[in-house]
Amino acid sequence: MTDVKDRVTAPPEPPPALGFVGWLRWTWRQLTSMKTALVLLFLLALGAVPGSLIPQTPIDPIKVADFLEANPKLGPLYDKLGLFDVYKSAWFSAIYLLLFISLIGCVVPRLGVYLTALRARPPKPPRNLNRLAGYQSFTVDEPGDVLAVATRELRKRRFRVQAYDGAVGAERGYLREAGNLLFHFSLILALIGVAWGSLFGYRGTVLVVVGNGFSNSLAQYDDFVPGRVFSEDDLPPFSLTVKDFTVKFQADGPQRGAAREFNAQLAYQETPDAAEKSYDLKVNHPLKLDGSSVYLLGHGYAPKVTVKDGNGQVAFSGPAPFLPQDGNFSSFGVIKAPDARPAQLGFEGFFLPTAVIDQRGPVSVFPDDLNPQLVMTAYYGRPQPETGKPESVYQLDKTKLTQFEKDGDKLRFQMAPGQTTVLPDKMGSITFDGYSRWVKLQVSHTPGTDLALAGILLAILGLMGSLFVHPRRTWVRVRTEDGRTVVEVAGLDRGPERGLGDELQAISKALQPDRSSTQEKP
């Protein structure tokens, strides 16, 4: 007899390998599961958060440059991760595409199952109706047409009815699954709309001084973000001129200085040969031109100056847009005169629409032009050859410039409109001629907006259907027990059992007007 300890137990057989096709099927099932779709939807919403908190290059490249300058260690890391252009980054696009595939793989099979269920008959009554959550029974003296009455009553309550031998089965609430499918389909529709706009749309911004014009060509934009398959030939050939700009500020109260109204008066032509038309451009009231929209984003001041060099020649003349730095429109800007001789000149400083001098120095205390002043400092340097590299019109490269000095101190000066400051060592002068206003315009074309909006509206409609429609099954059966005719009414709610008992009681009441005897499930 063999001892138990001497017995050799065969090792369990390893599970069969999935193989390449098996792994593909497993990956597809995981990707198209509802859990994965929800996780990807959450990741998409989470990935959009940096786009709201971190400055984005397509929207404001100046703020991105300032962020990089202020954060020399963190900025390059953000740039490598694509956080300055979140919606075109590789990781955001990957989440977007995976969610798109997951939703399609989730909706299409469920649509087939739903169509099959839609054509199916309501099920037969279970053997033991009294085990269901809702149940009532009663006896009648004459069976008569109980089932016919039950059929009419159930159809009146929007049930789909099927007759069986001695019983009636009914079912309703098919719109709940239709709502679920509509919700997921609408997400696909919204994603297609967003992708359509991202591929074929464009967005650009331009700063236009009042009195100047703009033509819709790529070279005239300050920054331009095209779609991935956008072509320059797709730009509509319109042009516009900013004739005037008006703004009203709150003069008193806790909201003092807040802009109450600002609008730009435009003259535009849809094509070079078209008649000129006028339009009053306001916030949230864009100008529609051949599928593109012109929005009013912001405004500011552009001081007009004349710079003369040491030879008495005009080296610069005209408006220079300054950018607001606070709510009172203390605006910073630079003026460049690289062609001045014998030395090139540069200026930087602030335009103060309502200037006062306090312990902080010259500041603006109100955004309107009540006491305009120009506070500047000046630089000079040897003329430099043209390199062809683009330079920001809002920043002055001072690496090869020297600040002017007067009486041993750095030169700083303040001017009112009409005043002139003579530079030391006969290097020239600068005259504050006056000022204009500028407006910042955004021109955009997003062809998938209507489709995305339709997807959102359908998603809301589908969500309402899935939340407020409750699938319910109801059965009415007539049987004979001890010489008596017993009518059983039972129901099953595949959701919150709200109103199930009341509905069964109403159906029972319609079937037994005399209510001889009734039993309900405790």
Side-chain angles (χ1 to χ4, degrees):
M1 183 175 182
T2 306
D3 190 72
V4 176
K5 295 181 180 181
D6 296 334
R7 294 177 182 174
V8 178
T9 304
E13 295 183 2
L18 290 177
F20 180 73
V21 176
W23 278 110
L24 283 180
R25 289 176 178 172
W26 181 85
T27 304
W28 176 253
R29 290 193 188 100
Q30 299 302 313
L31 179 61
T32 56
S33 67
M34 183 62 66
K35 183 186 297 184
T36 302
L38 292 174
V39 170
L40 289 171
L41 190 61
F42 172 75
L43 290 178
L44 193 72
L46 190 64
V49 172
S52 303
L53 302 179
I54 300 173
Q56 299 293 291
T57 301
I59 298 175
D60 199 336
I62 297 176
K63 285 187 177 181
V64 173
D66 293 341
F67 187 92
L68 288 169
E69 184 178 355
N71 302 272
K73 294 184 178 180
L74 192 61
L77 177 61
Y78 280 9
D79 193 22
K80 289 181 180 179
L81 294 175
L83 297 182
F84 294 124
D85 196 357
V86 167
Y87 305 109
K88 285 192 175 181
S89 62
W91 56 268
F92 191 87
S93 300
I95 297 174
Y96 185 91
L97 291 174
L98 287 174
L99 177 61
F100 190 82
I101 296 171
S102 178
L103 288 174
I104 292 177
C106 181
V107 170
V108 172
R110 287 180 61 186
L111 180 61
V113 173
Y114 175 69
L115 292 177
T116 301
L118 200 62
R119 294 192 300 267
R121 300 187 305 169
K124 294 181 178 180
R127 179 178 299 177
N128 298 310
L129 289 177
N130 58 350
R131 294 182 180 178
L132 298 181
Y135 175 79
Q136 292 187 8
S137 64
F138 54 89
T139 59
V140 293
D141 297 332
E142 296 291 337
D145 55 354
V146 172
L147 295 180
V149 174
T151 300
R152 290 196 299 269
E153 181 68 20
L154 290 169
R155 285 177 175 166
K156 186 173 67 175
R157 295 178 178 273
R158 304 188 305 278
F159 280 90
R160 205 172 64 175
V161 182
Q162 177 67 38
Y164 294 100
D165 186 17
V168 169
E171 188 174 16
R172 74 178 182 194
Y174 294 93
L175 288 179
R176 180 184 181 90
E177 182 61 19
N180 283 327
L181 291 172
L182 180 62
F183 176 77
H184 291 86
F185 172 76
S186 62
L187 291 181
I188 298 174
L189 200 64
L191 290 175
I192 292 175
V194 173
W196 188 8
S198 178
L199 290 174
F200 297 96
Y202 69 88
R203 182 179 65 251
T205 59
V206 59
L207 189 148
V208 183
V209 177
V210 173
N212 293 351
F214 164 76
S215 61
N216 193 29
S217 61
L218 202 59
Q220 294 216 358
Y221 282 99
D222 294 333
D223 59 86
F224 189 83
V225 183
R228 296 187 181 274
V229 296
F230 171 81
S231 172
E232 185 178 354
D233 297 333
D234 297 333
L235 287 173
F238 68 83
S239 61
L240 58 86
T241 301
V242 182
K243 294 292 188 180
D244 195 11
F245 179 79
T246 56
V247 60
K248 295 180 181 179
F249 297 99
Q250 181 77 25
D252 51 19
Q255 296 293 321
R256 183 178 184 271
R260 292 306 177 201
E261 178 184 353
F262 58 93
N263 56 292
Q265 288 76 45
L266 304 182
Y268 68 93
Q269 292 177 286
E270 297 188 37
T271 61
D273 299 329
E276 188 175 86
K277 301 179 182 179
S278 60
Y279 188 79
D280 192 12
L281 186 64
K282 300 180 181 180
V283 177
N284 298 326
H285 292 80
L287 171 63
K288 305 287 187 178
L289 292 170
D290 195 13
S292 298
S293 301
V294 181
Y295 295 90
L296 178 61
L297 295 186
H299 61 98
Y301 292 93
K304 297 179 180 179
V305 299
T306 299
V307 178
K308 292 184 178 181
D309 61 13
N311 298 329
Q313 302 297 319
V314 175
F316 176 86
S317 180
F322 279 38
L323 302 180
Q325 305 297 306
D326 56 31
N328 288 322
F329 276 69
S330 300
S331 304
F332 177 81
V334 301
I335 300 168
K336 300 178 182 181
D339 297 329
R341 296 295 183 269
Q344 64 169 323
L345 302 175
F347 306 84
E348 71 175 10
F350 287 88
F351 175 81
L352 309 174
T354 303
V356 298
I357 300 177
D358 56 15
Q359 64 276 12
R360 298 171 293 175
V363 295
S364 177
V365 295
F366 194 72
D368 212 351
D369 51 349
L370 304 180
N371 182 31
Q373 298 282 331
L374 196 59
V375 182
M376 305 290 289
T377 184
Y379 298 84
Y380 68 95
R382 295 178 58 184
Q384 301 293 324
E386 293 288 343
T387 62
K389 296 181 179 179
E391 295 183 1
S392 173
V393 297
Y394 306 109
Q395 293 181 344
L396 183 64
D397 184 6
K398 294 174 285 190
T399 55
K400 296 181 180 181
L401 298 177
T402 304
Q403 188 173 2
F404 280 101
E405 294 185 0
K406 186 176 182 180
D407 300 329
D409 293 330
K410 302 293 185 181
L411 176 64
R412 294 182 177 85
F413 52 91
Q414 184 172 344
M415 296 186 295
Q419 294 183 343
T420 299
T421 297
V422 178
L423 301 176
D425 303 325
K426 299 181 180 181
M427 297 293 286
S429 65
I430 179 171
T431 301
F432 184 16
D433 300 320
Y435 55 93
S436 295
R437 294 182 184 268
W438 57 259
V439 295
K440 187 175 183 180
L441 305 177
Q442 175 181 289
V443 183
S444 61
H445 175 57
T446 50
T449 303
D450 294 339
L451 191 62
L453 179 60
I456 293 173
L457 295 178
L458 288 175
I460 296 174
L461 183 63
L463 190 61
M464 292 175 61
S466 63
L467 290 177
F468 298 111
V469 175
H470 302 292
R472 182 171 291 176
R473 290 175 176 175
T474 302
W475 295 275
V476 178
R477 182 163 58 194
V478 178
R479 59 183 176 85
T480 302
E481 182 179 331
D482 298 332
R484 297 178 303 169
T485 301
V486 179
V487 179
E488 295 179 294
V489 181
L492 181 64
D493 203 331
R494 293 185 295 169
E497 297 179 3
R498 288 178 291 185
L500 176 61
D502 295 337
E503 184 172 58
L504 294 180
Q505 187 173 3
I507 294 173
S508 300
K509 184 177 180 180
L511 298 180
Q512 46 147 358
D514 298 335
R515 296 188 62 85
S516 55
S517 62
T518 304
Q519 292 181 352
E520 295 185 12
K521 184 175 180 179

Tab-separated table of all heavy atoms in Angstrom, residues 44-69:
chain	number	residue	atom	x	y	z
A	44	LEU	N	-10.447	63.263	-19.560
A	44	LEU	CA	-10.577	64.372	-20.496
A	44	LEU	C	-10.930	65.663	-19.763
A	44	LEU	O	-10.366	66.724	-20.056
A	44	LEU	CB	-11.647	64.037	-21.539
A	44	LEU	CG	-11.701	64.953	-22.758
A	44	LEU	CD1	-10.505	64.711	-23.662
A	44	LEU	CD2	-12.996	64.737	-23.539
A	45	ALA	N	-11.858	65.560	-18.791
A	45	ALA	CA	-12.208	66.745	-18.004
A	45	ALA	C	-11.034	67.190	-17.145
A	45	ALA	O	-10.762	68.381	-17.000
A	45	ALA	CB	-13.433	66.443	-17.138
A	46	LEU	N	-10.303	66.220	-16.576
A	46	LEU	CA	-9.141	66.549	-15.747
A	46	LEU	C	-8.037	67.170	-16.594
A	46	LEU	O	-7.351	68.102	-16.164
A	46	LEU	CB	-8.637	65.281	-15.054
A	46	LEU	CG	-7.580	65.469	-13.956
A	46	LEU	CD1	-8.152	66.264	-12.795
A	46	LEU	CD2	-7.075	64.116	-13.469
A	47	GLY	N	-7.854	66.668	-17.825
A	47	GLY	CA	-6.819	67.212	-18.690
A	47	GLY	C	-7.115	68.622	-19.150
A	47	GLY	O	-6.195	69.359	-19.521
A	48	ALA	N	-8.389	69.026	-19.155
A	48	ALA	CA	-8.744	70.383	-19.564
A	48	ALA	C	-8.479	71.406	-18.469
A	48	ALA	O	-8.484	72.614	-18.751
A	48	ALA	CB	-10.220	70.432	-19.969
A	49	VAL	N	-8.244	70.956	-17.241
A	49	VAL	CA	-8.006	71.895	-16.132
A	49	VAL	C	-6.771	72.767	-16.368
A	49	VAL	O	-6.822	73.988	-16.178
A	49	VAL	CB	-7.912	71.124	-14.798
A	49	VAL	CG1	-7.477	72.054	-13.675
A	49	VAL	CG2	-9.246	70.483	-14.459
A	50	PRO	N	-5.612	72.197	-16.786
A	50	PRO	CA	-4.456	73.078	-17.044
A	50	PRO	C	-4.734	74.124	-18.110
A	50	PRO	O	-4.146	75.209	-18.078
A	50	PRO	CB	-3.369	72.092	-17.498
A	50	PRO	CG	-3.755	70.780	-16.941
A	50	PRO	CD	-5.249	70.777	-16.949
A	51	GLY	N	-5.626	73.834	-19.049
A	51	GLY	CA	-5.963	74.817	-20.070
A	51	GLY	C	-6.669	76.030	-19.518
A	51	GLY	O	-6.683	77.091	-20.148
A	52	SER	N	-7.272	75.893	-18.325
A	52	SER	CA	-7.939	77.025	-17.675
A	52	SER	C	-7.034	77.745	-16.689
A	52	SER	O	-7.225	78.942	-16.439
A	52	SER	CB	-9.197	76.530	-16.948
A	52	SER	OG	-10.077	75.875	-17.825
A	53	LEU	N	-6.070	77.035	-16.115
A	53	LEU	CA	-5.216	77.623	-15.082
A	53	LEU	C	-3.891	78.154	-15.617
A	53	LEU	O	-3.323	79.090	-15.046
A	53	LEU	CB	-4.934	76.579	-13.990
A	53	LEU	CG	-6.163	75.986	-13.285
A	53	LEU	CD1	-5.732	74.961	-12.263
A	53	LEU	CD2	-6.981	77.085	-12.629
A	54	ILE	N	-3.386	77.574	-16.692
A	54	ILE	CA	-2.081	77.946	-17.244
A	54	ILE	C	-2.308	78.728	-18.526
A	54	ILE	O	-3.162	78.352	-19.331
A	54	ILE	CB	-1.228	76.686	-17.521
A	54	ILE	CG1	-1.006	75.915	-16.218
A	54	ILE	CG2	0.115	77.048	-18.141
A	54	ILE	CD1	-0.321	74.579	-16.408
A	55	PRO	N	-1.591	79.843	-18.744
A	55	PRO	CA	-1.780	80.611	-19.988
A	55	PRO	C	-1.499	79.758	-21.213
A	55	PRO	O	-0.562	78.960	-21.229
A	55	PRO	CB	-0.780	81.761	-19.855
A	55	PRO	CG	0.189	81.331	-18.806
A	55	PRO	CD	-0.564	80.437	-17.879
A	56	GLN	N	-2.328	79.933	-22.236
A	56	GLN	CA	-2.242	79.133	-23.446
A	56	GLN	C	-1.700	79.973	-24.608
A	56	GLN	O	-2.130	81.110	-24.816
A	56	GLN	CB	-3.615	78.576	-23.811
A	56	GLN	CG	-4.217	77.665	-22.743
A	56	GLN	CD	-3.436	76.380	-22.580
A	56	GLN	OE1	-3.420	75.527	-23.455
A	56	GLN	NE2	-2.776	76.246	-21.438
A	57	THR	N	-0.784	79.391	-25.348
A	57	THR	CA	-0.157	80.099	-26.463
A	57	THR	C	-1.167	80.556	-27.512
A	57	THR	O	-1.069	81.693	-27.991
A	57	THR	CB	0.912	79.209	-27.114
A	57	THR	OG1	1.897	78.863	-26.130
A	57	THR	CG2	1.593	79.925	-28.255
A	58	PRO	N	-2.159	79.740	-27.912
A	58	PRO	CA	-3.102	80.214	-28.926
A	58	PRO	C	-3.947	81.400	-28.467
A	58	PRO	O	-4.427	82.172	-29.291
A	58	PRO	CB	-3.986	78.984	-29.186
A	58	PRO	CG	-3.182	77.826	-28.743
A	58	PRO	CD	-2.389	78.320	-27.581
A	59	ILE	N	-4.132	81.562	-27.149
A	59	ILE	CA	-4.997	82.617	-26.640
A	59	ILE	C	-4.199	83.862	-26.279
A	59	ILE	O	-4.552	84.982	-26.651
A	59	ILE	CB	-5.793	82.117	-25.410
A	59	ILE	CG1	-6.688	80.946	-25.829
A	59	ILE	CG2	-6.623	83.230	-24.798
A	59	ILE	CD1	-7.411	80.298	-24.683
A	60	ASP	N	-3.099	83.703	-25.544
A	60	ASP	CA	-2.318	84.855	-25.097
A	60	ASP	C	-0.846	84.487	-25.056
A	60	ASP	O	-0.315	84.085	-24.005
A	60	ASP	CB	-2.800	85.305	-23.709
A	60	ASP	CG	-2.382	86.735	-23.391
A	60	ASP	OD1	-1.381	87.187	-23.982
A	60	ASP	OD2	-3.050	87.389	-22.578
A	61	PRO	N	-0.140	84.597	-26.176
A	61	PRO	CA	1.282	84.237	-26.186
A	61	PRO	C	2.134	85.150	-25.314
A	61	PRO	O	3.197	84.745	-24.851
A	61	PRO	CB	1.658	84.355	-27.672
A	61	PRO	CG	0.617	85.236	-28.270
A	61	PRO	CD	-0.634	84.991	-27.495
A	62	ILE	N	1.667	86.382	-25.077
A	62	ILE	CA	2.441	87.304	-24.231
A	62	ILE	C	2.481	86.798	-22.793
A	62	ILE	O	3.533	86.817	-22.134
A	62	ILE	CB	1.833	88.721	-24.304
A	62	ILE	CG1	1.939	89.255	-25.734
A	62	ILE	CG2	2.537	89.654	-23.338
A	62	ILE	CD1	1.280	90.586	-25.935
A	63	LYS	N	1.347	86.318	-22.290
A	63	LYS	CA	1.329	85.781	-20.931
A	63	LYS	C	2.180	84.522	-20.826
A	63	LYS	O	2.808	84.281	-19.784
A	63	LYS	CB	-0.118	85.487	-20.506
A	63	LYS	CG	-0.919	86.719	-20.160
A	63	LYS	CD	-2.271	86.339	-19.578
A	63	LYS	CE	-3.055	87.576	-19.161
A	63	LYS	NZ	-4.384	87.228	-18.571
A	64	VAL	N	2.224	83.737	-21.884
A	64	VAL	CA	3.081	82.547	-21.886
A	64	VAL	C	4.544	82.957	-21.803
A	64	VAL	O	5.329	82.372	-21.034
A	64	VAL	CB	2.822	81.695	-23.146
A	64	VAL	CG1	3.820	80.554	-23.233
A	64	VAL	CG2	1.404	81.143	-23.125
A	65	ALA	N	4.923	83.977	-22.572
A	65	ALA	CA	6.305	84.464	-22.520
A	65	ALA	C	6.636	85.010	-21.144
A	65	ALA	O	7.739	84.780	-20.615
A	65	ALA	CB	6.518	85.526	-23.596
A	66	ASP	N	5.700	85.729	-20.533
A	66	ASP	CA	5.934	86.250	-19.177
A	66	ASP	C	6.064	85.115	-18.171
A	66	ASP	O	6.882	85.188	-17.247
A	66	ASP	CB	4.781	87.179	-18.769
A	66	ASP	CG	4.751	88.449	-19.607
A	66	ASP	OD1	5.796	88.781	-20.219
A	66	ASP	OD2	3.693	89.098	-19.655
A	67	PHE	N	5.257	84.061	-18.332
A	67	PHE	CA	5.336	82.914	-17.424
A	67	PHE	C	6.688	82.229	-17.552
A	67	PHE	O	7.299	81.843	-16.545
A	67	PHE	CB	4.205	81.936	-17.732
A	67	PHE	CG	4.093	80.798	-16.762
A	67	PHE	CD1	3.262	80.885	-15.661
A	67	PHE	CD2	4.832	79.631	-16.934
A	67	PHE	CE1	3.156	79.839	-14.755
A	67	PHE	CE2	4.741	78.582	-16.040
A	67	PHE	CZ	3.903	78.696	-14.943
A	68	LEU	N	7.163	82.048	-18.779
A	68	LEU	CA	8.473	81.414	-18.990
A	68	LEU	C	9.594	82.253	-18.394
A	68	LEU	O	10.552	81.713	-17.825
A	68	LEU	CB	8.708	81.204	-20.483
A	68	LEU	CG	7.876	80.111	-21.156
A	68	LEU	CD1	7.997	80.192	-22.669
A	68	LEU	CD2	8.290	78.737	-20.663
A	69	GLU	N	9.464	83.568	-18.498
A	69	GLU	CA	10.499	84.442	-17.949
A	69	GLU	C	10.470	84.438	-16.426
A	69	GLU	O	11.517	84.474	-15.774
A	69	GLU	CB	10.306	85.863	-18.475
A	69	GLU	CG	11.395	86.833	-18.045
A	69	GLU	CD	11.192	88.213	-18.640
A	69	GLU	OE1	10.268	88.385	-19.460
A	69	GLU	OE2	11.958	89.126	-18.276
